[in-house]
Amino acid sequence: MKPIIGITAFAEDDLSSRLNIAYSKSVFEAGGIPLIIPLGVEEDVAQILSLTDGLLLSGGHDVHPFEFGAEPLPKLGQIHPERDKVELALIHAAFTRKMPILGICRGMQILNVALGGTLYQDIDSEYHSSKLLKHTQQAARGVATHYVQITPDTLLQSIIEEEKIAVNSFHHQAVNVLAEKLIVAAKSSDGLIEAFVHEEYPFCLAVQWHPEEQAIVGDLAAQKLFAAFTSESLKYKREA
């Protein structure tokens, strides 16, 4: 018996949605079955989650600033309110069920917003550091371009079993104010939050990088992350 992992789709426009194959491959290789969740199903999230054992929030466009009490700044990128709507509904429904949750890139950002946190709409124009890193890399998706320091004694550290790992990076937004009950699990050398965990939830973990792209090219830390998530999802399935 394999756990079924619901994965949120990327919104191209109002007419289509898609998902990079790396998400499905990483779930398959970790022992799960991917199920893509399309847009427009916010009224039916409870029924959808009754068919799944874990929720993976994928990457994509910027989160609408209205969702965290802000207005758009000049460097805000493309937004898609319909995607925000379905993902926020999924998160709240998953929390009710205490279903395992993994957030990736935008998935980390929308999870923080859903729980009451805020975002930098654009790192380069809003976040000030004398050693600001390049967070939108110009390299192949599986290539690691900067390091993150993992916080000791966190769920992420127990999974990765390393103090520092090299990650890829494809984002211009980032977590600003962390939501209540979330704990920083990793930071980059310029001080940006790169991962967090929920201090009370059975398995709620989010990372700013794209481990699905690293896992399929053999990165051990990324593979461990997917293995832990699918293992928790299987445990959830057996106990449900």
Side-chain angles (χ1 to χ4, degrees), residues 149-152 154 156-157 183-187 193 195-197 205-206:
Q149 193 75 30
I150 299 176
T151 307
T154 58
L156 182 62
Q157 195 277 329
I183 300 171
V184 175
K187 282 189 174 184
I193 297 172
F196 62 67
V197 297
L205 170 60

Side-chain angles (χ1 to χ4, degrees), residues 96-158:
T96 299
R97 294 170 173 268
K98 297 194 182 304
M99 174 180 287
I101 299 173
L102 175 62
I104 292 177
C105 198
R106 172 200 154 89
M108 172 176 169
Q109 296 161 10
I110 193 71
L111 183 55
N112 183 54
V113 169
L115 299 178
T118 68
L119 304 177
Y120 293 112
Q121 294 183 38
D122 177 69
I123 296 168
D124 290 349
S125 58
E126 287 188 79
Y127 182 74
H128 303 291
S129 170
S130 60
K131 51 182 180 180
L132 184 62
L133 299 178
K134 183 179 180 67
H135 287 278
T136 305
Q137 71 185 51
Q138 293 172 296
R141 295 188 65 81
V143 174
T145 59
H146 73 77
Y147 292 100
V148 297
Q149 193 75 30
I150 299 176
T151 307
D153 302 318
T154 58
L155 173 61
L156 182 62
Q157 195 277 329
S158 70

